[in-house]
Amino acid sequence: MSAFCPASEVILRHTDEFTERRVLFAGDLQDELASQFEAQDVRVHCSQYHHWRQIHRVLGDNTQFGLLPQPELVNGCDTLIYYWPKSKQEAQFQLSSLLSQLPVGSEMFIVGENRSGVRSAETLLSDFGGIAKIDSARRCSLYHFRLDHQAQFNLAEWWDEYQIEDTTVKTLPGVFSRDDLDLGSKLLLSVLDTAKGKVLDVGCGAGVLSAVLAKLAPEIELTLSDVSASAIESSKATLEANGLKGNVIASDVFSDVEGRFDLIISNPPFHDGMQTSLTAAEALIRGATKHLQLGGRLIIVANAFLPYPDILDATFGSHEVLAHTGRFKVYQAIHARPTYAPKGKKHKNKR
């Protein structure tokens, strides 16, 4: 079984093309191809923190995590390998920034799964140079593009916002529920009561859950974390727009989280790019007890079909369902001192 995603496998069919180039990798990277790539120079911009952690171990300072690549990373590059994300708007946002920084004459190789809408690259880039499909394999397409006209980019033009009652939500392309609050988060908000002490919002997105909770309980101490650079910047802006305070950090679930909390809340993702993945959610549940005070609560919302009850029971001993619809369930588990059932008896789990 290949260690690379289908899009990378398509790139590998053309490796001879890149050996003398100064290459910048960007977009929705899904593996560590960039850290093993043979070229005159390789640099990588990661908009996802867990991808940065993997590649940074090998490439060091040639790898950068953030909303947009900084000029020092782009300077000197003559070739871009761009992985198309599942959001067309996110692709427009990232490519517009890159088109404004790369010099005229630069070449780009845009690759992505066909179901992600990578074909949109043809119309998106046509005003700035010539583009043509050069390969199709593994249900992916690879395009070659030559930059003839630089684009103009203004970050301020990409911000959006919406209201959740008296809370202003600030969002950027690529953030989950960019245009409106998703149904799962609405259900979770419906059962959130006032909290006390330290609260951690894992996978904070645009910071909606934290902002609403902080207005209910202004005395709480908030920490918000996400792997997405767009989410981190959106959460910071949401807190600022509502006059709220909180520590917003990049973290791959608990990788950069310190201390223990009285409440951990999350609407955990179950996709990594175009692929279904329960890794982050499982790490959240299994690692929560190490970051909760005794008596502290984990409250998450998830699609009802996902197998989280068994993981919650194995980790916490029991769980309860606070709310449910036909599609979603809100689970609560409490970190208590371990108790031991008499031999031959089992704990009763709340369902």
Side-chain angles (χ1 to χ4, degrees):
M1 184 174 179
S2 174
F4 299 118
C5 68
S8 289
E9 290 180 349
V10 176
I11 292 293
L12 285 170
R13 290 156 60 100
H14 302 266
T15 51
D16 291 346
E17 181 69 39
F18 301 101
T19 53
E20 300 302 319
R21 295 175 182 263
R22 296 183 295 277
V23 178
L24 171 65
F25 280 79
D28 191 22
L29 308 179
Q30 293 295 314
D31 54 40
E32 299 181 52
L33 174 64
S35 64
Q36 305 173 33
F37 203 68
E38 293 187 11
Q40 183 177 336
D41 187 24
V42 176
R43 304 177 192 180
V44 185
H45 175 261
C46 300
S47 57
Q48 299 286 319
Y49 187 65
H50 56 310
H51 299 154
W52 175 86
R53 292 181 73 221
Q54 294 171 342
I55 298 172
H56 181 261
R57 296 188 187 106
V58 179
L59 294 184
D61 291 342
N62 277 6
T63 310
Q64 186 182 91
F65 167 75
L67 180 63
L68 298 169
Q70 296 302 305
E72 61 269 19
L73 188 74
V74 180
N75 287 345
C77 294
D78 55 32
T79 302
L80 171 69
I81 295 178
Y82 181 80
Y83 286 69
W84 191 268
K86 63 181 179 180
S87 164
K88 178 181 177 181
Q89 195 171 51
E90 184 177 13
Q92 289 178 302
F93 174 67
Q94 293 175 343
L95 284 172
S96 294
S97 170
L98 290 161
L99 290 173
S100 72
Q101 294 190 63
L102 287 163
V104 169
S106 298
E107 294 184 73
M108 301 185 185
F109 295 81
I110 300 99
V111 66
E113 294 188 38
N114 295 326
R115 61 176 175 155
S116 72
V118 66
R119 185 176 179 181
S120 298
E122 297 179 22
T123 54
L124 181 62
L125 297 174
S126 60
D127 290 340
F128 301 97
I131 183 168
K133 183 189 288 190
I134 60 172
D135 200 358
S136 181
R138 304 284 283 122
R139 298 181 180 177
C140 296
S141 295
L142 175 64
Y143 290 87
H144 173 265
F145 169 81
R146 186 184 185 279
L147 180 61
D148 294 330
H149 309 286
Q150 275 194 317
Q152 299 297 314
F153 180 82
N154 181 359
L155 177 58
E157 296 175 355
W158 292 89
W159 282 99
D160 272 343
E161 69 175 56
Y162 58 89
Q163 295 291 131
I164 302 296
E165 296 183 353
D166 64 342
T167 301
T168 299
V169 183
K170 305 284 286 186
T171 64
L172 284 166
V175 176
F176 180 62
S177 294
R178 187 193 182 199
D179 300 317
D180 196 5
L181 189 63
D182 64 286
L183 295 176
S185 293
K186 286 181 180 179
L187 185 64
L188 178 53
L189 283 176
S190 72
V191 300
L192 280 182
D193 53 7
T194 55
K196 296 180 180 180
K198 299 174 66 177
V199 177
L200 172 64
D201 183 353
V202 178
C204 57
V208 184
L209 299 178
S210 287
V212 172
L213 190 57
K215 288 194 172 186
L216 292 172
E219 73 282 358
I220 62 175
E221 183 180 339
L222 279 174
T223 298
L224 297 77
S225 71
D226 208 295
V227 295
S228 163
S230 292
I232 290 166
E233 296 305 320
S234 295
S235 285
K236 290 178 180 178
T238 294
L239 293 180
E240 182 178 358
N242 292 281
L244 302 171
K245 295 181 179 180
N247 182 29
V248 186
I249 63 171
S251 183
D252 183 5
V253 192
F254 295 118
S255 67
D256 291 63
V257 172
E258 298 180 353
R260 290 183 178 266
F261 298 83
D262 299 285
L263 174 64
I264 297 176
I265 57 175
S266 184
N267 182 353
F270 64 99
H271 289 95
D272 188 357
M274 295 297 297
Q275 310 303 320
T276 299
S277 174
L278 304 183
T279 303
E282 289 187 14
L284 167 66
I285 295 171
R286 297 187 192 282
T289 55
K290 296 179 181 179
H291 294 276
L292 283 171
Q293 304 280 9
L294 283 175
R297 298 178 293 158
L298 170 69
I299 302 179
I300 64 172
V301 64
N303 289 70
F305 68 86
L306 293 172
Y308 296 154
D310 289 343
I311 304 173
L312 287 164
D313 291 345
T315 304
F316 287 88
S318 66
H319 74 278
E320 61 182 310
V321 176
L322 299 181
H324 64 87
T325 64
R327 185 177 175 188
F328 296 100
K329 288 185 178 181
V330 177
Y331 300 103
Q332 174 176 269
I334 299 174
H335 180 36
R337 293 186 185 278
T339 57
Y340 301 94
K343 189 174 181 179
K345 295 185 178 181
K346 295 181 179 179
H347 291 293
K348 183 179 179 181
N349 296 322
K350 298 178 182 179
R351 301 277 177 158

